[in-house]
Amino acid sequence: MDQHKPNMRMAGDGASMKEKMKATKISVRKQTVGYLRDPFGNVHFGKYPGMTRKPGKRQREDSSSSSQQARCSYTHTGNVPEDLHPESEAPSVEKSSLRGKDLYVQLLIQHKGYTLADVIGSSTIMQEFNSHNNSLEENSFHCVYRRPVRAIDYMWAYTCSCQTTDHEEVSNLEPVLEEAAGLPSRSEWCIHIQAGKDILEQLDAEKGMNAETVFIQLENEGLQDHIYHCALNIECSIFRLSGGHDTTLIGVVLPSEQFRAQQYGVLMMKNNKMSCLACKKPCQHVKLISDLKENRHDVSHEIQQVLDSFFEVSDFTCSTGNALYQCLSWEKIPFFRNEAFTRKMRTGFCGLVTVDHGSEFYSLFPNLSTCPGCGAVLDTVVVSKKVPVFLCHSIEYSTVSKQVCSNCGAVHAYDGQEELVLNMRSYLMGHDVLRSYLHNFCRGKRPLYTFFKVWKDDLDDRGVPSDELTYHKFIHAWYAFVELLDIDINREFSCSECEATLGGQPTTVVCDGTSLSFRRDLLIDEAPPTHADCVLPRLSTHRDRVYVTHKEVRVLVQNFCSPAKKLGDSDFFLLKDLTKKHYPALNTFLIEIQDGSTVCPAPYRKFLIDAVSNYPVCAILLPIPEVEQLLDDMFSGINLRKYPSKWSSLHQHIPILFELFCSDHSLLPLNEKLTALVMDMWKIASQTFEATGLQHKCSEILSESSRAFFPMLEKLHCRGKFAADATNTRPVRCQKRFPGHPSLLPGIFTIFCEHGVCYGFQVMETCESPNVPFTIFSTRFKKAPSVVVYDFACSLQAYCLNRDPVFFRETRFVVDRFHWRNHNACPSAYNLAKYPSLSSLNSQMNEQANSGLKRIKDQLSYMSEKHFMDHCKLFLFKKNIDAKKSC
């Protein structure tokens, strides 16, 4: 093969086209018979598969294009020998004496169709084999996994992505087995395992590695349980695929315990859209790489290089041109002011001034002394062309240099932290401008575009030409600035006052939804969560939880208590007959309080209306120990008004009885007739929670949605599937219905503690409903909150009792003061103002925060999902800081 290469080179140096074609033809003919040595040292003689004596035009083109492929890198540490460089590689195999597995192995080696995810080959991604035309599939891949186990002897346990059941079983086996029986046998191996095993065994022999040495090494390092990704860090699971593909492909191998559905992925970027060739649908692999693209400064230099080659060094492309907007700054930008920062802001932008042909400009250099990757001294500086520096009151120009490591070849860009500028590759943006909009964003109502136009007008007033300053440059610099802000999200989205409670979760919660949202068509697809294996039955119905179930009786009692609606004699007799038949205790109490007229005496009206309302009795008599103790005392004949602590407890926990006893002192100690009525109500309230709910036997993997942000309220449980979810229950009279925007999502749902600190938010994909707070509480709280303040608490309690009443047994649901005026039919037990312990609670904190969120609605409504989430976090982060200062 090699003796013909000089002829081709001479023919290419000034030779005519005829001579070039002749040389190429001679070379191709003589390559049809020769030898091929694979990376393992095996030599294959004879004709190259698929080559004829006189190649046609298409075969010559294939041979020419294959010569442009990159050098083979069959491991992560080195390249193939020089004589295997595919300058004269044969075209795809069409005819060969090899068949099946042997041909597959040869094709994988010849076309670099496999890539190891790590040095021990725990995961090997390889192209699919097409047995019909004896070739490799271009965009179809499988992954062969292996892990060392010890049975009678040390051995490799192989599985493949095409056999998901075997893979799930083997990946969860103990590393030390009592027997080898039950492992997939050779006869059960697919062609991928057979070919992969041959390749990996050859590589193991070269490295002096076997199952025993790897097992012992991993056992000593404590990584045996995580063999499928060899470490818990991300560097071992993201890599570039070798081979001459039309576009750059990267492989992603996720830990099996994190993503059971599809552990490996092969990602391709086409038409500025990322897709996974393994999953064939939106998946966790795409989400992971998208997140890393936006947070590239959080990964190692090696992973950055892989991502740069995948995204072709560009993060953003202007829709009106080809300008690239890539943030090269990597250092975190302080959010809070300090003395050094203030001094730099006063000094302004400065740098080394250079004079060239009479024009002055700045020169900026990186300040790194050693390479962060290899530790070598950085001694090579490359100067770039001049770029504009956009500042608050001027536009300067500067050259921006970068440093190149002569040892590892890594390129280190200028960061700009010292000069308070952001390096956006083709321009620099001053921190003074970005921080100015940061304050506008957190305090004012000025959208991003309005701020930009005002800034440009201000520059024009100063006589500064601003044609180079575009909105695209500003908006991408702002997005990069937000990502680099050094803020402790976890610390600020938690309350120090609530940290002493169970798990640091708030016991009193104020929640509500707001219409701040983004475009529905910009939603990132997520895999729907799997539900529990069983459907939890309804433990009680709404009819079981109310005292008066007959509507006719309820209406008659309400008319009896309304002076404006005088109850006729016939209606009053009907009321007595119905209550005597169905509610004897109520009948006795009505006869007791009647003063000869058909109108209820004033002291008893509120109590009776609440008692017969179509709402759960447990809203009035919450079955908690304090209420139970108060009722025991009253049933025992104790006059609570003689005991200040008991009297105060009654005011706090049963305000409806407190007001009744305040209206009529003669009712304490309880008389026999009122005792019977309260006993009946307490029995119903207690029975609501007597049944024990089924435990959630759920196979769902707890994964966080990208549209939920609760950093201090991690997901603890799955929501579960309830029988009530499948029924179209008739809603109670209070409903929350608002017309939705035709293209925007309904909004976000926020959770605040009683001290005004926001614990997070959830994007609502459907109209606001009780399901949103129910899901948050049931999945993120170890114990349900003691008090939930919500503008539709009445509907929320009914929703919770229909599904998981045991979890919400001790939760008091109340409506905030502002919205209570709209709840005409609800019992006063839902009125927050009735409870003395909540008198100091600012029930409007959520509404006040939501009004602030609405101020930024204009600039957030048409952002992408990621930018929307980032800006909501930033805004609420600043609100939490202000709330803690005011406490």
Side-chain angles (χ1 to χ4, degrees), residues 659-717:
E659 293 181 355
L660 176 63
F661 297 151
C662 288
S663 301
D664 188 353
H665 290 180
S666 64
L667 293 177
L668 276 179
L670 281 185
N671 59 42
E672 181 181 350
K673 299 174 178 57
L674 181 58
T675 299
L677 176 59
V678 175
M679 277 187 172
D680 283 355
M681 295 175 64
W682 174 245
K683 182 179 179 181
I684 294 173
S686 301
Q687 288 177 344
T688 302
F689 306 97
E690 284 182 357
T692 57
L694 297 175
Q695 296 296 321
H696 291 255
K697 297 179 180 179
C698 180
S699 60
E700 178 184 351
I701 300 174
L702 298 179
S703 58
E704 286 286 0
S705 168
S706 61
R707 294 183 279 278
F709 179 73
F710 297 94
M712 299 305 292
L713 296 175
E714 296 182 352
K715 202 170 184 181
L716 304 173
H717 319 283

Side-chain angles (χ1 to χ4, degrees), residues 494-501 504-507 753-755 757 759 884 887:
S494 63
C495 176
S496 58
E497 299 289 334
C498 298
E499 286 180 355
T501 62
Q505 69 180 37
T507 55
C753 75
E754 59 185 307
H755 308 103
V757 176
Y759 268 73
K884 292 179 181 181
C887 289

Side-chain angles (χ1 to χ4, degrees), residues 95-127:
K95 297 180 181 179
S96 173
S97 58
L98 299 176
R99 290 290 183 269
K101 182 260 295 182
D102 295 332
L103 177 58
Y104 191 17
V105 171
Q106 179 178 330
L107 290 171
L108 290 173
I109 296 171
Q110 180 178 342
H111 296 287
K112 303 171 290 296
Y114 70 95
T115 306
L116 276 62
D118 48 58
V119 293
I120 67 173
S122 63
S123 304
T124 304
I125 295 180
M126 57 179 62
Q127 290 180 252

Side-chain angles (χ1 to χ4, degrees), residues 454-507:
V454 172
W455 177 30
K456 285 205 67 172
D457 291 343
D458 183 61
L459 289 174
D460 292 340
D461 290 344
R462 297 172 182 271
V464 179
S466 58
D467 293 340
E468 289 187 89
L469 178 59
T470 64
Y471 181 61
H472 283 284
K473 290 181 180 179
F474 176 57
I475 192 173
H476 290 304
W478 166 251
Y479 288 158
F481 178 78
V482 170
E483 291 183 9
L484 287 175
L485 280 176
D486 189 11
I487 54 179
D488 189 345
I489 292 292
N490 292 347
R491 185 184 66 182
E492 297 302 337
F493 277 85
S494 63
C495 176
S496 58
E497 299 289 334
C498 298
E499 286 180 355
T501 62
L502 180 64
Q505 69 180 37
T507 55

Side-chain angles (χ1 to χ4, degrees), residues 300-302 304-305 308 368 370-382 402-413:
S300 68
H301 180 71
E302 291 77 8
Q304 288 184 20
Q305 290 183 325
D308 284 344
L368 294 175
T370 59
C371 177
C374 65
V377 177
L378 294 173
D379 52 5
T380 305
V381 177
V382 179
K402 57 186 177 182
Q403 293 172 299
V404 181
C405 179
S406 56
N407 183 44
C408 66
V411 178
H412 302 285

Side-chain angles (χ1 to χ4, degrees), residues 28-62:
V28 172
R29 284 202 192 108
K30 295 198 174 183
Q31 289 172 22
T32 58
V33 179
Y35 66 90
L36 171 67
R37 190 174 73 200
D38 61 29
F40 312 126
N42 301 320
V43 178
H44 304 278
F45 292 93
K47 286 187 176 182
Y48 274 15
M51 183 65 73
T52 59
R53 187 66 178 177
K54 295 182 179 180
K57 177 181 179 181
R58 186 168 185 175
Q59 287 175 313
R60 290 198 300 271
E61 290 175 350
D62 290 343

